[in-house]
Amino acid sequence: MVRIRLKRFGTQKRPFYRVVVMDARKPRDGKCIEEIGTYMPIEPKGKRVSIKLDRANYWISVGAQPSDTVAKLLKVQETQQDAE
């Protein structure tokens, strides 16, 4: 099963995440199939989420399941693009 989920980078108390497509059986920071975006929770509201929606929609169309957090981030990214 393929999942769209977060992969953690950064230092202690300065998290930085990449939104990645990977096999659900792999560890959190393991090898991914494709990186499709970033999430920086410490940044100001407008710059936190950056996801390639076309790639995310492609992977969802072929059966990838987004994690709960990534599903929320996708909604945020869509509303940001609609506002622009």
Side-chain angles (χ1 to χ4, degrees):
M1 177 178 194
V2 177
R3 303 256 326 168
I4 302 173
R5 62 186 189 186
L6 298 175
K7 185 175 184 180
R8 192 179 196 282
F9 287 88
T11 61
Q12 289 182 346
K13 300 186 183 187
R14 299 281 305 165
F16 171 80
Y17 298 93
R18 289 186 186 160
V19 181
V20 297
V21 178
M22 63 188 332
D23 191 326
R25 296 169 291 187
K26 298 276 184 183
R28 179 192 70 185
D29 295 336
K31 187 175 179 182
C32 65
I33 299 170
E34 182 180 359
E35 294 177 1
I36 60 172
T38 60
Y39 171 55
M40 297 174 279
I42 300 176
E43 294 294 318
K45 289 249 185 208
K47 299 180 180 179
R48 288 184 182 179
V49 181
S50 174
I51 300 174
K52 298 175 192 169
L53 289 177
D54 58 331
R55 295 305 297 161
N57 290 331
Y58 165 76
W59 281 105
I60 291 170
S61 72
V62 295
Q65 297 291 317
S67 66
D68 294 338
T69 305
V70 171
K72 291 176 188 175
L73 294 176
L74 286 170
K75 288 181 185 177
V76 169
Q77 180 70 23
E78 288 172 355
T79 57
Q80 282 180 359
Q81 281 194 343
D82 291 342
E84 292 177 356

